[in-house]
């Protein structure tokens, strides 16, 4: 797939970018390796200065960075601004906390003294998706640069200008050449880069299919990897939930980023006693969304990221209804220019059908009725995915008990799954492994080195 900026609202391609040649990739890897030898010796204060300046630039030029997101992948402009701010927050978070997170840990052995030290491992390779073009970069780049590693990134082919904007950001922030490198690569070129002995670790955010392929390639080379893959988050509504506020969060959880989010609320699991009321209110709220130019503040329904994404979602809905699911809202494309999907709700979903098993990446809500709390938990866990989830109830302790029984990497009570710099992010099962963000995210690609000093005359 070529690197090209195609506006999903207009369908117009404004710019294309060639892949880097083999010679250019080799030169870039050599430069990154040379940079690592210097960067790993810098102090936390020196690294922090670079990230702090980058965060300041993002905040001072939010509109410039946000506009690129909206033009390349169609995110509502207000959400694009929010993403820029979140990315700046992540850079600041690690600039301020990395030294404490990686401080030597003193142990208490029976003999002598022992310390666990955290050392950078080298050049890292990240493969990042289009749906949050800066946020995904920030949460990979910030902790690893602060740890003393250097990073190379293959960004999604549909957001090349966002990719280049981050290169310019770090150059302006004073990062040395080779500390942050963007590469326009084919999948085959990426495989070859993973094989390169100078690459010491690989991080992927993307589809289950992409993660499986990259994890296999990294494993063949005995290289550490992290995988943040797909999700089909459950949004559980118990009988005592505050209904009106729960509906607000249901709309936000499903429709944020036009539903193109790995931790979007996708499966709405509602106990029978409040199912009819929830469905009626949810349907009414989704019906009010207004499609239009994502650069306009009045627009509340943006386009999907591409025509191909829209066609794939339409096909999933078609296959689901053919398998017995019933549409109670939407189900088709919006009759206007752009890759717009109607806000949609599917009910009557049976086990073994597309709507039960697959991740729906767009504005399609999957609605399930259950008898009680136990059935809700059983259904929530009956998924190959295990990324996030949420439970809505007036009883917080009950919500925490339900959360403890849900098999995912993250569960929120009375809020859809979301992200913040200080909260670890990641999943289990086919949603991947490893964690990003928080104190956990900076530990993934460091050597936890034991240094043990024992008196020479100590007994064996």
């Amino acid at each position: 797939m070529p690197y090209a900026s195609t506006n999903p609202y207009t369908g117009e391609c404004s710019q294309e970018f060639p892949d880097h040649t083999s010679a250019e990739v080799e030169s870039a890897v050599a430069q990154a390796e040379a940079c690592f030898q210097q960067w790993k010796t810098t102090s936390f204060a020196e690294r922090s200065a670079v990230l702090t300046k980058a965060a300041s630039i993002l905040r001072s030029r939010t509109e410039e960075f946000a506009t690129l997101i909206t033009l390349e992948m169609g995110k509502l402009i207000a959400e694009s601004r929010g993403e820029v701010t979140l990315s700046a927050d992540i850079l600041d978070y690690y600039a301020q906390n990395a030294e404490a997170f990686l401080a030597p840990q003193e142990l208490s052995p029976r003999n002598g003294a022992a310390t666990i030290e955290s050392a950078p491992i080298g050049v890292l390779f990240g493969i990042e998706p289009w749906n949050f073009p800066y946020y995904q970069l920030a949460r990979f780049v910030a902790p690893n640069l602060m740890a003393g590693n250097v990073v190379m990134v293959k960004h999604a082919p549909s957001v090349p200008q966002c990719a280049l904007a981050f290169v310019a950001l770090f150059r302006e922030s004073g990062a040395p050449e080779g500390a942050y490198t963007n590469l326009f690569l084919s999948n085959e070129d990426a495989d070859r880069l993973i094989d390169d002995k100078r690459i010491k670790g690989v991080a992927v955010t993307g589809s289950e299919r992409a993660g499986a392929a990259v994890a296999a390639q990294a494993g063949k080379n005995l290289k550490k990897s992290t995988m943040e893959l797909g999700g089909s988050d459950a949004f559980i509504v118990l009988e005592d939930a505050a209904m009106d506020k729960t509906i607000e969060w249901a709309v936000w959880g499903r429709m944020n980023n036009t539903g193109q989010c790995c931790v979007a609320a996708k499966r709405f699991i509602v106990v029978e006693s409040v199912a009819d009321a929830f469905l009626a209110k949810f349907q009414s709220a989704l019906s009010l969304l207004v499609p239009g130019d994502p650069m306009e503040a009045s627009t509340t329904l943006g386009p999907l990221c591409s025509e191909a994404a829209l066609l794939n979602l339409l096909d999933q809905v078609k296959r689901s209804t053919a398998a017995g699911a019933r549409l109670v809202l939407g189900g088709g494309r919006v009759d206007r220019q752009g890759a717009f999907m109607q806000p949609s709700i599917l009910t009557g979903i049976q086990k073994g059908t597309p709507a039960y098993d697959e991740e729906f990446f767009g504005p399609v809500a999957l609605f399930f009725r259950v008898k009680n709390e136990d059935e809700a938990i059983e259904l929530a866990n009956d998924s190959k995915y295990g990324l996030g989830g949420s439970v809505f109830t007036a009883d917080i302790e009950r919500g925490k008990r339900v959360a403890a029984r849900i098999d995912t990497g993250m569960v929120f009570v009375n809020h859809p799954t979301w992200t913040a710099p200080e909260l670890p992010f990641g999943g289990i099962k086919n949603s991947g492994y490893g964690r990003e963000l928080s104190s956990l995210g900076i530990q993934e690609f460091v050597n936890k080195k034991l240094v043990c000093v024992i008196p020479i005359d100590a007994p064996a």
Side-chain angles (χ1 to χ4, degrees):
M1 181 178 178
Y3 283 81
S5 293
T6 300
N7 186 329
Y9 173 62
T10 65
E12 296 175 359
C13 178
S14 61
Q15 202 168 357
E16 294 186 355
F17 300 82
D19 287 359
H20 285 95
T21 66
S22 296
E24 288 171 329
V25 173
E26 168 56 33
S27 176
V29 176
Q31 186 176 57
E33 172 63 23
C35 179
F36 170 66
Q37 298 305 323
Q38 178 273 329
W39 184 252
K40 70 179 181 180
T41 68
T42 58
S43 67
F44 283 108
E46 290 172 295
R47 300 170 197 167
S48 177
V50 173
L51 266 67
T52 299
K53 184 172 182 181
S56 177
I57 292 169
L58 285 173
R59 291 194 176 93
S60 66
R61 290 165 29 203
T62 296
E63 204 65 19
E64 172 189 335
F65 283 93
T67 297
L68 279 180
I69 298 176
T70 298
L71 292 180
E72 287 202 303
M73 55 76 58
K75 194 190 302 283
L76 298 179
I77 188 61
E79 294 179 357
S80 294
R81 296 184 189 114
E83 181 181 341
V84 174
T85 300
L86 175 59
S87 301
D89 289 346
I90 292 169
L91 298 181
D92 273 338
Y93 175 78
Y94 282 107
Q96 295 163 8
N97 293 290
E99 185 171 9
F101 291 156
L102 298 178
Q105 179 185 353
E106 301 295 333
L107 304 180
S108 301
R110 286 178 295 174
N111 293 312
T115 304
I116 297 175
E117 298 179 352
S118 298
I121 62 174
V123 183
L124 306 178
F125 180 41
I127 299 175
E128 303 298 337
W130 50 265
N131 59 337
F132 290 87
Y134 300 139
Y135 160 75
Q136 306 283 9
L137 294 178
R139 71 184 194 182
F140 171 60
V141 173
N144 288 305
L145 285 184
M146 284 303 301
N149 296 310
V150 300
V151 297
M152 310 189 83
V153 173
K154 176 192 184 301
H155 215 327
S158 59
V159 289
Q161 292 190 70
C162 289
L164 293 175
F166 235 63
V167 174
L169 172 68
F170 275 92
R171 184 175 293 125
E172 185 177 347
S173 301
E177 291 296 323
Y180 179 84
T181 304
N182 174 74
L183 293 171
F184 292 148
L185 301 175
S186 67
N187 291 338
E188 294 73 23
D189 289 335
D191 284 347
R192 284 189 285 272
L193 187 57
I194 295 169
D195 291 338
D196 193 301
K197 65 181 181 181
R198 294 166 292 186
I199 301 297
K200 302 303 183 185
V202 184
V204 173
T205 299
S207 68
E208 181 184 356
R209 178 185 59 80
V214 174
Q217 195 72 15
K220 185 177 72 173
N221 288 279
L222 299 179
K223 293 181 179 180
K224 171 69 183 288
S225 63
T226 60
M227 300 283 148
E228 196 275 279
L229 309 176
S232 189
D233 285 13
F235 184 106
I236 296 173
V237 182
L238 300 180
E239 68 280 357
D240 61 347
M243 186 58 67
D244 288 345
K245 195 63 184 179
T246 298
I247 292 295
E248 289 181 28
W249 283 125
V251 173
W252 187 90
R254 176 64 282 194
M255 299 306 300
N256 175 62
N257 207 27
T258 318
Q260 300 166 115
C261 181
C262 55
V263 291
K266 299 187 176 84
R267 296 180 296 144
F268 293 82
I269 301 172
V270 186
V271 296
E272 183 65 49
S273 61
V274 294
D276 287 340
F278 177 91
L279 183 58
K281 290 176 178 288
F282 191 33
Q283 181 176 348
S284 176
L286 290 179
S287 299
L288 297 177
L289 296 175
V290 179
D293 185 347
M295 288 296 296
E296 297 293 334
S298 59
T299 298
T300 53
L301 176 69
L304 293 179
C305 69
S306 67
E307 180 70 14
L310 171 60
L311 294 177
N312 180 69
L313 191 59
L314 288 168
D315 178 67
Q316 287 180 296
V317 170
K318 181 179 179 180
R319 289 186 290 111
S320 296
T321 54
R326 184 169 64 90
L327 277 164
V328 297
L329 181 70
R333 71 182 301 156
V334 178
D335 186 17
R336 57 167 302 135
Q337 89 171 1
F340 285 90
M341 175 80 183
Q342 296 171 341
S344 306
I345 302 174
L346 282 168
T347 66
I349 298 164
Q350 299 300 313
K351 189 178 178 71
T353 62
Y356 196 96
D357 295 329
E358 298 176 12
E359 178 181 22
F360 278 52
F361 219 61
V364 179
L366 312 174
F367 180 80
F368 299 85
R369 297 170 182 264
V370 292
K371 292 180 181 178
N372 52 42
E373 174 185 309
D374 287 338
E375 280 195 6
I377 294 167
E378 181 180 5
L379 179 55
N381 288 338
D382 190 20
S383 171
K384 63 180 178 178
Y385 297 109
L387 192 53
S390 56
V391 55
F392 285 76
T393 173
D395 184 340
I396 301 304
E397 292 305 313
R398 181 188 187 190
K400 290 161 69 174
R401 290 194 299 270
V402 171
R405 297 172 62 191
I406 296 175
D407 298 332
T408 61
M410 303 170 282
V411 184
F412 284 62
V413 177
N414 290 333
H415 195 287
T417 314
W418 194 234
T419 185
E422 66 275 11
L423 300 179
F425 192 102
I428 60 173
K429 300 191 282 189
N430 286 27
S431 293
Y433 50 83
R435 293 295 182 269
E436 293 184 298
L437 300 176
S438 79
S439 61
L440 300 184
I442 201 170
Q443 310 291 345
E444 292 286 358
F445 293 104
V446 294
N447 176 20
K448 308 301 286 188
K449 181 191 298 182
L450 171 66
V451 177
C452 191
V453 179
I454 299 178
I456 198 167
D457 58 354

